[in-house]
Structures are given as structure tokens and as C-alpha cells.
Amino acid sequence: MSPETMTAKSQDTVPLQDRAPLPDVTARLTIRQRLFRREVVEVPVFKLDEHGGVIKTDRLFEPGDVLHFDLVLEMPFDDVRTDRLEGLVTDRIKHCSNFFYFVDFRQSSRSGQGRHYDSLDRVLELVTRKQLLKERRDGGAAGPVHSV
């Protein structure tokens, strides 16, 4: 399936460009500026699963680039974080002045950093629960559920 037509299970008719980002989930990208200078950029997450996800930013990356980032799920008392994830940019789609980036989690880092991916599983579980609760609270008629 091409990235342009990629849709979530519950959003089969909604293209990626028309979706809202996952609520309360951001990716904090660490971007190298120079030798000793780094910048942290927060970007919205549009899709997330155990294999990777989709983010949107105005920064320019090429397919094949490796991104270093943290995922942050905002919770009422304390945020849930996954630190030092690595993702390989596999594709991008231009949308207005931004790009959607399809990021696959790197398998080499996944096997060596089990602790980080345990927290990723926790984030995925909590996002799913939050979406189910929101759907119940809204009566299921408030619109499509975001993809996890």
C-alpha cells in the first residue's frame, strides 16, 4: 500500500492529509546543527505502532536518514516517555509547507535497548486506552478514532 493511500483500521476512507494528530502524543526530535550543537524539535505524531509511525514537520529529511527522538504521552499526573528511540525514514509526503515522514523503528537498536521499547509498548497501550475512553465518552459519534 502506498503512503498516499495508507489509512488506519478505523479510518479507511480518511487520507493521511485529512487526519488529526494523535492526541497528547509528541515526538521530540534531536537534530544535530553543528559538531557540538543540537536542537530539540517537538512534532506531532499521526500514526504509531510497534513497528514505527508517521510524524509531520517542516524540517527536511531524506529517506534513509536515521532520526533520534523521544516519544512523550501527556498524562494528567506525570508524562510517559520513551527515551532515545531510533527510526529510519522510509518515505515522505509533502503537504503544504510540511512533510509527513514514515519512520520505521530500527531493529538493531530494538534488540539492544529492550528497556526503551518496553516503555514504547506502555505508550501504545495507554494511547489505545485513552482513545477507547474518549470514544465511549463521546458516544462513538464524534468522528473517527485516531490511528495508533
Side-chain angles (χ1 to χ4, degrees):
M1 182 183 309
S2 72
E4 292 86 0
T5 60
M6 184 175 157
T7 58
K9 296 173 201 166
S10 62
Q11 297 179 333
D12 288 334
T13 60
V14 180
L16 184 63
Q17 292 85 348
D18 296 337
R19 286 192 214 167
L22 293 174
D24 305 325
V25 180
T26 57
R28 290 185 181 156
L29 300 172
T30 303
I31 301 171
R32 250 187 166 173
Q33 296 292 343
R34 289 183 224 120
L35 185 59
F36 297 110
R37 188 165 173 86
R38 295 170 197 239
E39 179 181 6
V40 176
V41 179
E42 287 195 16
V43 298
V45 177
F46 283 77
K47 183 177 184 317
L48 183 64
D49 62 28
E50 63 273 4
H51 303 291
V54 178
I55 60 172
K56 184 178 181 182
T57 181
D58 61 350
R59 301 298 173 131
L60 189 59
F61 301 110
E62 297 292 330
D65 287 350
V66 176
L67 302 179
H68 300 274
F69 60 96
D70 303 334
L71 283 176
V72 179
L73 172 62
E74 295 177 19
M75 297 295 285
F77 298 107
D78 195 18
D79 295 345
V80 179
R81 300 174 52 105
T82 59
D83 296 326
R84 296 186 302 256
L85 294 174
E86 286 186 355
L88 179 69
V89 175
T90 58
D91 204 356
R92 72 177 176 195
I93 299 174
K94 183 155 177 60
H95 182 252
C96 298
S97 62
N98 293 307
F99 292 93
F100 286 104
Y101 291 100
F102 293 79
V103 180
D104 285 345
F105 297 132
R106 295 191 54 176
Q107 291 301 321
S108 61
S109 66
R110 187 172 181 102
S111 62
Q113 298 178 3
R115 188 185 94 227
H116 301 300
Y117 290 93
D118 288 343
S119 59
L120 173 62
D121 292 340
R122 180 74 176 139
V123 168
L124 290 169
E125 177 186 344
L126 290 171
V127 168
T128 302
R129 284 185 184 179
K130 284 180 90 169
Q131 289 175 339
L132 290 173
L133 288 172
K134 183 179 185 317
E135 184 177 315
R136 284 184 199 157
R137 186 181 64 230
D138 294 343
V145 176
H146 297 287
S147 168
V148 173

Short mmCIF file of all heavy atoms in Angstrom, two decimals, residues 55-112:
data_model
loop_
_atom_site.label_atom_id
_atom_site.label_comp_id
_atom_site.label_asym_id
_atom_site.label_seq_id
_atom_site.Cartn_x
_atom_site.Cartn_y
_atom_site.Cartn_z
N ILE A 55 5.14 11.03 11.42
CA ILE A 55 5.24 12.35 12.05
C ILE A 55 5.13 13.42 10.98
O ILE A 55 5.26 13.13 9.78
CB ILE A 55 6.58 12.51 12.82
CG1 ILE A 55 7.77 12.36 11.88
CG2 ILE A 55 6.66 11.53 13.98
CD1 ILE A 55 9.11 12.69 12.51
N LYS A 56 4.89 14.65 11.40
CA LYS A 56 4.78 15.76 10.46
C LYS A 56 5.61 16.92 10.96
O LYS A 56 5.49 17.33 12.12
CB LYS A 56 3.31 16.18 10.32
CG LYS A 56 3.07 17.25 9.29
CD LYS A 56 1.59 17.56 9.21
CE LYS A 56 1.29 18.61 8.18
NZ LYS A 56 -0.16 18.93 8.16
N THR A 57 6.46 17.44 10.08
CA THR A 57 7.31 18.58 10.44
C THR A 57 7.70 19.36 9.19
O THR A 57 7.58 18.86 8.07
CB THR A 57 8.56 18.11 11.21
OG1 THR A 57 9.34 19.25 11.57
CG2 THR A 57 9.40 17.16 10.38
N ASP A 58 8.20 20.57 9.41
CA ASP A 58 8.70 21.37 8.29
C ASP A 58 10.19 21.14 8.06
O ASP A 58 10.76 21.67 7.12
CB ASP A 58 8.42 22.86 8.52
CG ASP A 58 9.08 23.40 9.76
OD1 ASP A 58 9.61 22.61 10.58
OD2 ASP A 58 9.06 24.63 9.94
N ARG A 59 10.82 20.35 8.91
CA ARG A 59 12.24 20.02 8.74
C ARG A 59 12.40 19.10 7.54
O ARG A 59 11.51 18.31 7.23
CB ARG A 59 12.80 19.34 9.99
CG ARG A 59 12.69 20.16 11.23
CD ARG A 59 13.50 21.43 11.07
NE ARG A 59 13.28 22.31 12.18
CZ ARG A 59 14.26 22.88 12.87
NH1 ARG A 59 15.50 22.67 12.54
NH2 ARG A 59 13.97 23.67 13.86
N LEU A 60 13.56 19.16 6.91
CA LEU A 60 13.79 18.36 5.72
C LEU A 60 14.67 17.17 6.04
O LEU A 60 15.81 17.32 6.50
CB LEU A 60 14.45 19.23 4.63
CG LEU A 60 14.57 18.58 3.26
CD1 LEU A 60 13.20 18.19 2.72
CD2 LEU A 60 15.24 19.53 2.29
N PHE A 61 14.13 15.97 5.82
CA PHE A 61 14.86 14.72 5.97
C PHE A 61 14.71 13.93 4.67
O PHE A 61 13.73 14.11 3.94
CB PHE A 61 14.32 13.88 7.13
CG PHE A 61 14.37 14.57 8.45
CD1 PHE A 61 13.20 14.99 9.07
CD2 PHE A 61 15.58 14.81 9.08
CE1 PHE A 61 13.24 15.62 10.30
CE2 PHE A 61 15.62 15.45 10.31
CZ PHE A 61 14.45 15.86 10.92
N GLU A 62 15.66 13.07 4.42
CA GLU A 62 15.63 12.23 3.23
C GLU A 62 15.33 10.79 3.64
O GLU A 62 15.71 10.37 4.74
CB GLU A 62 16.98 12.26 2.53
CG GLU A 62 17.38 13.63 2.00
CD GLU A 62 16.50 14.10 0.86
OE1 GLU A 62 15.99 13.24 0.10
OE2 GLU A 62 16.31 15.32 0.73
N PRO A 63 14.66 10.02 2.77
CA PRO A 63 14.53 8.59 3.05
C PRO A 63 15.93 7.98 3.23
O PRO A 63 16.85 8.28 2.47
CB PRO A 63 13.84 8.04 1.80
CG PRO A 63 13.04 9.22 1.30
CD PRO A 63 13.91 10.42 1.58
N GLY A 64 16.07 7.19 4.28
CA GLY A 64 17.37 6.63 4.62
C GLY A 64 18.03 7.33 5.80
O GLY A 64 18.95 6.80 6.41
N ASP A 65 17.56 8.54 6.15
CA ASP A 65 18.08 9.24 7.32
C ASP A 65 17.62 8.53 8.59
O ASP A 65 16.52 7.99 8.66
CB ASP A 65 17.59 10.69 7.38
CG ASP A 65 18.25 11.58 6.34
OD1 ASP A 65 19.23 11.14 5.69
OD2 ASP A 65 17.78 12.73 6.17
N VAL A 66 18.48 8.57 9.61
CA VAL A 66 18.14 8.00 10.91
C VAL A 66 17.78 9.15 11.85
O VAL A 66 18.55 10.09 12.01
CB VAL A 66 19.30 7.17 11.49
CG1 VAL A 66 18.98 6.67 12.89
CG2 VAL A 66 19.63 6.00 10.56
N LEU A 67 16.61 9.07 12.46
CA LEU A 67 16.16 10.08 13.41
C LEU A 67 16.33 9.56 14.82
O LEU A 67 16.07 8.39 15.11
CB LEU A 67 14.69 10.42 13.17
CG LEU A 67 14.30 10.91 11.79
CD1 LEU A 67 12.80 11.19 11.74
CD2 LEU A 67 15.08 12.17 11.43
N HIS A 68 16.74 10.43 15.73
CA HIS A 68 16.85 10.12 17.15
C HIS A 68 15.77 10.95 17.85
O HIS A 68 15.72 12.17 17.68
CB HIS A 68 18.23 10.48 17.69
CG HIS A 68 19.31 9.73 16.99
ND1 HIS A 68 19.71 8.47 17.36
CD2 HIS A 68 20.06 10.05 15.91
CE1 HIS A 68 20.65 8.05 16.57
NE2 HIS A 68 20.89 8.98 15.66
N PHE A 69 14.93 10.28 18.63
CA PHE A 69 13.81 11.00 19.22
C PHE A 69 13.31 10.32 20.48
O PHE A 69 13.63 9.17 20.77
CB PHE A 69 12.66 11.14 18.21
CG PHE A 69 12.11 9.84 17.70
CD1 PHE A 69 10.99 9.28 18.27
CD2 PHE A 69 12.73 9.18 16.65
CE1 PHE A 69 10.48 8.09 17.80
CE2 PHE A 69 12.23 7.99 16.16
CZ PHE A 69 11.10 7.43 16.74
N ASP A 70 12.52 11.07 21.23
CA ASP A 70 11.80 10.59 22.40
C ASP A 70 10.31 10.73 22.08
O ASP A 70 9.91 11.70 21.43
CB ASP A 70 12.09 11.43 23.64
CG ASP A 70 13.56 11.50 23.99
OD1 ASP A 70 14.30 10.56 23.64
OD2 ASP A 70 13.97 12.49 24.63
N LEU A 71 9.52 9.80 22.53
CA LEU A 71 8.06 9.93 22.44
C LEU A 71 7.55 10.35 23.80
O LEU A 71 7.99 9.82 24.82
CB LEU A 71 7.41 8.60 22.05
CG LEU A 71 7.49 8.20 20.60
CD1 LEU A 71 6.89 6.81 20.41
CD2 LEU A 71 6.77 9.20 19.71
N VAL A 72 6.62 11.29 23.82
CA VAL A 72 6.06 11.78 25.07
C VAL A 72 4.54 11.71 24.98
O VAL A 72 3.93 12.24 24.06
CB VAL A 72 6.49 13.24 25.34
CG1 VAL A 72 5.88 13.75 26.63
CG2 VAL A 72 8.00 13.35 25.37
N LEU A 73 3.95 11.02 25.95
CA LEU A 73 2.49 10.94 26.08
C LEU A 73 2.11 11.75 27.31
O LEU A 73 2.51 11.42 28.43
CB LEU A 73 2.03 9.49 26.23
CG LEU A 73 0.55 9.28 26.56
CD1 LEU A 73 -0.33 9.83 25.44
CD2 LEU A 73 0.26 7.83 26.80
N GLU A 74 1.37 12.83 27.10
CA GLU A 74 0.94 13.68 28.21
C GLU A 74 -0.17 12.99 28.98
O GLU A 74 -1.17 12.57 28.41
CB GLU A 74 0.46 15.03 27.68
CG GLU A 74 1.55 15.84 27.03
CD GLU A 74 1.02 17.15 26.46
OE1 GLU A 74 -0.07 17.60 26.87
OE2 GLU A 74 1.71 17.70 25.60
N MET A 75 0.03 12.88 30.28
CA MET A 75 -0.94 12.27 31.18
C MET A 75 -1.27 13.28 32.28
O MET A 75 -0.50 14.20 32.53
CB MET A 75 -0.38 10.98 31.78
CG MET A 75 -0.08 9.89 30.76
SD MET A 75 -1.53 9.25 29.94
CE MET A 75 -2.22 8.25 31.23
N PRO A 76 -2.40 13.10 32.97
CA PRO A 76 -2.81 14.08 33.98
C PRO A 76 -1.78 14.31 35.10
O PRO A 76 -1.57 15.45 35.50
CB PRO A 76 -4.09 13.49 34.55
CG PRO A 76 -4.61 12.59 33.49
CD PRO A 76 -3.41 12.07 32.77
N PHE A 77 -1.14 13.27 35.59
CA PHE A 77 -0.23 13.46 36.73
C PHE A 77 1.24 13.48 36.32
O PHE A 77 2.02 14.24 36.87
CB PHE A 77 -0.47 12.38 37.78
CG PHE A 77 -1.85 12.44 38.36
CD1 PHE A 77 -2.79 11.48 38.02
CD2 PHE A 77 -2.23 13.47 39.19
CE1 PHE A 77 -4.07 11.55 38.54
CE2 PHE A 77 -3.51 13.55 39.70
CZ PHE A 77 -4.44 12.58 39.37
N ASP A 78 1.61 12.62 35.42
CA ASP A 78 3.02 12.54 35.00
C ASP A 78 3.08 12.02 33.58
O ASP A 78 2.39 11.06 33.24
CB ASP A 78 3.79 11.60 35.95
CG ASP A 78 5.29 11.75 35.82
OD1 ASP A 78 5.75 12.77 35.27
OD2 ASP A 78 6.00 10.83 36.26
N ASP A 79 3.90 12.63 32.74
CA ASP A 79 4.03 12.20 31.35
C ASP A 79 4.73 10.85 31.28
O ASP A 79 5.59 10.53 32.09
CB ASP A 79 4.83 13.22 30.55
CG ASP A 79 4.11 14.55 30.43
OD1 ASP A 79 2.90 14.60 30.72
OD2 ASP A 79 4.77 15.54 30.06
N VAL A 80 4.35 10.06 30.26
CA VAL A 80 5.01 8.79 29.99
C VAL A 80 5.93 9.02 28.80
O VAL A 80 5.51 9.56 27.77
CB VAL A 80 3.98 7.68 29.68
CG1 VAL A 80 4.68 6.37 29.36
CG2 VAL A 80 3.01 7.51 30.83
N ARG A 81 7.20 8.61 28.94
CA ARG A 81 8.20 8.90 27.91
C ARG A 81 8.91 7.62 27.47
O ARG A 81 9.09 6.71 28.25
CB ARG A 81 9.27 9.84 28.45
CG ARG A 81 8.80 11.16 28.92
CD ARG A 81 9.94 11.94 29.56
NE ARG A 81 11.09 12.00 28.70
CZ ARG A 81 11.47 13.09 28.01
NH1 ARG A 81 10.76 14.16 28.11
NH2 ARG A 81 12.53 13.06 27.26
N THR A 82 9.29 7.63 26.21
CA THR A 82 10.25 6.65 25.72
C THR A 82 11.46 7.45 25.27
O THR A 82 11.33 8.37 24.47
CB THR A 82 9.69 5.85 24.53
OG1 THR A 82 9.38 6.75 23.48
CG2 THR A 82 8.47 5.06 24.91
N ASP A 83 12.58 7.14 25.82
CA ASP A 83 13.79 7.92 25.53
C ASP A 83 14.69 7.19 24.54
O ASP A 83 14.76 5.97 24.52
CB ASP A 83 14.57 8.16 26.82
CG ASP A 83 13.80 9.02 27.80
OD1 ASP A 83 13.06 9.91 27.35
OD2 ASP A 83 13.93 8.79 29.01
N ARG A 84 15.36 7.99 23.73
CA ARG A 84 16.42 7.53 22.83
C ARG A 84 15.98 6.44 21.84
O ARG A 84 16.65 5.43 21.69
CB ARG A 84 17.64 7.07 23.61
CG ARG A 84 18.28 8.19 24.40
CD ARG A 84 19.55 7.75 25.05
NE ARG A 84 19.39 6.63 25.94
CZ ARG A 84 19.38 6.71 27.26
NH1 ARG A 84 19.53 7.87 27.83
NH2 ARG A 84 19.23 5.64 28.00
N LEU A 85 14.87 6.66 21.18
CA LEU A 85 14.46 5.77 20.11
C LEU A 85 15.17 6.17 18.83
O LEU A 85 15.51 7.34 18.64
CB LEU A 85 12.95 5.84 19.88
CG LEU A 85 12.06 5.33 21.00
CD1 LEU A 85 10.61 5.61 20.68
CD2 LEU A 85 12.28 3.86 21.23
N GLU A 86 15.38 5.22 17.95
CA GLU A 86 15.95 5.50 16.64
C GLU A 86 14.95 5.05 15.60
O GLU A 86 14.34 4.00 15.73
CB GLU A 86 17.26 4.74 16.42
CG GLU A 86 18.42 5.28 17.18
CD GLU A 86 19.71 4.56 16.81
OE1 GLU A 86 19.67 3.59 16.03
OE2 GLU A 86 20.75 4.99 17.29
N GLY A 87 14.80 5.86 14.56
CA GLY A 87 13.89 5.49 13.48
C GLY A 87 14.51 5.81 12.14
O GLY A 87 15.22 6.80 11.98
N LEU A 88 14.23 4.95 11.18
CA LEU A 88 14.72 5.11 9.82
C LEU A 88 13.60 5.73 8.98
O LEU A 88 12.48 5.21 8.94
CB LEU A 88 15.12 3.75 9.24
CG LEU A 88 15.62 3.74 7.81
CD1 LEU A 88 16.98 4.44 7.74
CD2 LEU A 88 15.73 2.31 7.31
N VAL A 89 13.89 6.85 8.32
CA VAL A 89 12.91 7.49 7.45
C VAL A 89 12.78 6.63 6.20
O VAL A 89 13.77 6.43 5.48
CB VAL A 89 13.33 8.93 7.09
CG1 VAL A 89 12.35 9.54 6.09
CG2 VAL A 89 13.44 9.80 8.32
N THR A 90 11.59 6.11 5.96
CA THR A 90 11.39 5.25 4.80
C THR A 90 10.70 5.96 3.65
O THR A 90 10.86 5.57 2.50
CB THR A 90 10.57 4.00 5.17
OG1 THR A 90 9.32 4.41 5.72
CG2 THR A 90 11.32 3.15 6.17
N ASP A 91 9.91 7.00 3.96
CA ASP A 91 9.19 7.71 2.91
C ASP A 91 8.76 9.06 3.44
O ASP A 91 8.74 9.29 4.65
CB ASP A 91 7.97 6.91 2.47
CG ASP A 91 7.53 7.25 1.05
OD1 ASP A 91 8.12 8.17 0.44
OD2 ASP A 91 6.60 6.61 0.55
N ARG A 92 8.42 9.97 2.51
CA ARG A 92 7.88 11.27 2.92
C ARG A 92 6.86 11.72 1.90
O ARG A 92 6.94 11.37 0.71
CB ARG A 92 8.98 12.30 3.10
CG ARG A 92 9.60 12.76 1.81
CD ARG A 92 10.62 13.84 2.04
NE ARG A 92 11.23 14.18 0.76
CZ ARG A 92 12.33 14.85 0.63
NH1 ARG A 92 12.97 15.26 1.70
NH2 ARG A 92 12.80 15.11 -0.56
N ILE A 93 5.92 12.51 2.39
CA ILE A 93 4.88 13.09 1.54
C ILE A 93 4.81 14.57 1.85
O ILE A 93 4.68 14.96 3.01
CB ILE A 93 3.50 12.45 1.82
CG1 ILE A 93 3.52 10.96 1.53
CG2 ILE A 93 2.42 13.14 1.00
CD1 ILE A 93 2.23 10.27 1.94
N LYS A 94 4.89 15.40 0.82
CA LYS A 94 4.79 16.85 1.02
C LYS A 94 3.32 17.21 1.21
O LYS A 94 2.45 16.74 0.49
CB LYS A 94 5.36 17.60 -0.17
CG LYS A 94 5.33 19.11 0.03
CD LYS A 94 6.37 19.78 -0.80
CE LYS A 94 6.34 21.28 -0.69
NZ LYS A 94 6.53 21.83 0.59
N HIS A 95 3.07 18.03 2.23
CA HIS A 95 1.72 18.51 2.49
C HIS A 95 1.83 19.97 2.89
O HIS A 95 2.32 20.30 3.97
CB HIS A 95 1.06 17.70 3.61
CG HIS A 95 -0.33 18.13 3.89
ND1 HIS A 95 -0.67 18.81 5.02
CD2 HIS A 95 -1.47 17.99 3.17
CE1 HIS A 95 -1.97 19.06 5.00
NE2 HIS A 95 -2.47 18.58 3.89
N CYS A 96 1.40 20.86 2.01
CA CYS A 96 1.55 22.31 2.19
C CYS A 96 3.02 22.63 2.41
O CYS A 96 3.85 22.27 1.59
CB CYS A 96 0.66 22.80 3.32
SG CYS A 96 -1.09 22.52 3.00
N SER A 97 3.38 23.27 3.50
CA SER A 97 4.78 23.62 3.75
C SER A 97 5.46 22.61 4.66
O SER A 97 6.56 22.84 5.13
CB SER A 97 4.87 25.01 4.36
OG SER A 97 4.21 25.03 5.60
N ASN A 98 4.80 21.48 4.93
CA ASN A 98 5.34 20.45 5.81
C ASN A 98 5.50 19.13 5.06
O ASN A 98 5.10 19.01 3.91
CB ASN A 98 4.40 20.23 7.00
CG ASN A 98 4.36 21.42 7.92
OD1 ASN A 98 5.38 21.90 8.36
ND2 ASN A 98 3.16 21.92 8.20
N PHE A 99 6.07 18.16 5.76
CA PHE A 99 6.21 16.82 5.22
C PHE A 99 5.70 15.81 6.24
O PHE A 99 5.93 15.97 7.44
CB PHE A 99 7.68 16.49 4.94
CG PHE A 99 8.29 17.27 3.82
CD1 PHE A 99 8.96 18.46 4.08
CD2 PHE A 99 8.21 16.83 2.51
CE1 PHE A 99 9.53 19.19 3.05
CE2 PHE A 99 8.78 17.55 1.48
CZ PHE A 99 9.44 18.74 1.75
N PHE A 100 5.02 14.77 5.76
CA PHE A 100 4.73 13.59 6.56
C PHE A 100 5.92 12.65 6.36
O PHE A 100 6.29 12.38 5.22
CB PHE A 100 3.45 12.88 6.10
CG PHE A 100 2.19 13.60 6.48
CD1 PHE A 100 1.47 14.32 5.54
CD2 PHE A 100 1.70 13.52 7.77
CE1 PHE A 100 0.30 14.95 5.88
CE2 PHE A 100 0.53 14.16 8.13
CZ PHE A 100 -0.17 14.88 7.18
N TYR A 101 6.48 12.17 7.46
CA TYR A 101 7.59 11.22 7.38
C TYR A 101 7.15 9.89 7.95
O TYR A 101 6.62 9.82 9.06
CB TYR A 101 8.80 11.73 8.16
CG TYR A 101 9.45 12.92 7.52
CD1 TYR A 101 9.20 14.20 7.98
CD2 TYR A 101 10.30 12.76 6.44
CE1 TYR A 101 9.79 15.29 7.38
CE2 TYR A 101 10.89 13.85 5.83
CZ TYR A 101 10.64 15.12 6.30
OH TYR A 101 11.22 16.19 5.70
N PHE A 102 7.38 8.82 7.19
CA PHE A 102 7.12 7.47 7.63
C PHE A 102 8.40 6.95 8.25
O PHE A 102 9.44 6.89 7.58
CB PHE A 102 6.68 6.59 6.46
CG PHE A 102 5.34 7.01 5.92
CD1 PHE A 102 5.23 8.10 5.07
CD2 PHE A 102 4.20 6.32 6.28
CE1 PHE A 102 4.00 8.50 4.58
CE2 PHE A 102 2.96 6.72 5.80
CZ PHE A 102 2.86 7.80 4.95
N VAL A 103 8.36 6.62 9.54
CA VAL A 103 9.55 6.25 10.30
C VAL A 103 9.39 4.81 10.80
O VAL A 103 8.40 4.49 11.44
CB VAL A 103 9.75 7.21 11.49
CG1 VAL A 103 10.98 6.82 12.29
CG2 VAL A 103 9.85 8.65 11.01
N ASP A 104 10.37 3.97 10.48
CA ASP A 104 10.40 2.60 11.00
C ASP A 104 11.42 2.53 12.12
O ASP A 104 12.54 3.04 11.97
CB ASP A 104 10.81 1.60 9.91
CG ASP A 104 9.70 1.35 8.91
OD1 ASP A 104 8.54 1.69 9.20
OD2 ASP A 104 9.99 0.80 7.83
N PHE A 105 11.01 1.92 13.23
CA PHE A 105 11.96 1.75 14.33
C PHE A 105 13.06 0.81 13.88
O PHE A 105 12.80 -0.21 13.25
CB PHE A 105 11.27 1.22 15.58
CG PHE A 105 10.23 2.16 16.12
CD1 PHE A 105 8.98 1.71 16.46
CD2 PHE A 105 10.51 3.51 16.29
CE1 PHE A 105 8.01 2.56 16.96
CE2 PHE A 105 9.55 4.38 16.78
CZ PHE A 105 8.30 3.90 17.12
N ARG A 106 14.29 1.15 14.21
CA ARG A 106 15.43 0.35 13.78
C ARG A 106 15.51 -0.93 14.58
O ARG A 106 15.50 -0.91 15.80
CB ARG A 106 16.72 1.15 13.94
CG ARG A 106 16.71 2.35 12.99
CD ARG A 106 17.99 3.02 12.89
NE ARG A 106 19.04 2.07 12.54
CZ ARG A 106 20.28 2.44 12.31
NH1 ARG A 106 20.60 3.69 12.40
NH2 ARG A 106 21.19 1.56 12.01
N GLN A 107 15.60 -2.05 13.89
CA GLN A 107 15.65 -3.36 14.53
C GLN A 107 16.93 -3.54 15.34
O GLN A 107 16.93 -4.15 16.38
CB GLN A 107 15.51 -4.48 13.49
CG GLN A 107 14.14 -4.55 12.88
CD GLN A 107 13.05 -4.79 13.91
OE1 GLN A 107 13.22 -5.54 14.84
NE2 GLN A 107 11.91 -4.14 13.74
N SER A 108 18.06 -3.02 14.86
CA SER A 108 19.32 -3.19 15.58
C SER A 108 19.27 -2.53 16.95
O SER A 108 19.74 -3.08 17.94
CB SER A 108 20.48 -2.62 14.78
OG SER A 108 20.29 -1.24 14.56
N SER A 109 18.64 -1.37 17.04
CA SER A 109 18.56 -0.70 18.35
C SER A 109 17.47 -1.33 19.20
O SER A 109 17.53 -1.32 20.41
CB SER A 109 18.29 0.79 18.17
OG SER A 109 17.02 1.00 17.62
N ARG A 110 16.45 -1.91 18.55
CA ARG A 110 15.36 -2.52 19.32
C ARG A 110 15.85 -3.71 20.12
O ARG A 110 15.47 -3.89 21.26
CB ARG A 110 14.23 -2.94 18.39
CG ARG A 110 13.02 -3.41 19.15
CD ARG A 110 11.85 -3.63 18.21
NE ARG A 110 10.72 -4.05 18.98
CZ ARG A 110 9.70 -3.30 19.34
NH1 ARG A 110 9.68 -2.06 18.98
NH2 ARG A 110 8.72 -3.78 20.05
N SER A 111 16.72 -4.53 19.54
CA SER A 111 17.20 -5.70 20.25
C SER A 111 18.19 -5.32 21.35
O SER A 111 18.27 -5.99 22.36
CB SER A 111 17.86 -6.67 19.27
OG SER A 111 18.98 -6.06 18.65
N GLY A 112 18.90 -4.23 21.19
CA GLY A 112 19.90 -3.84 22.18
C GLY A 112 19.39 -2.95 23.28
O GLY A 112 20.08 -2.71 24.25
#
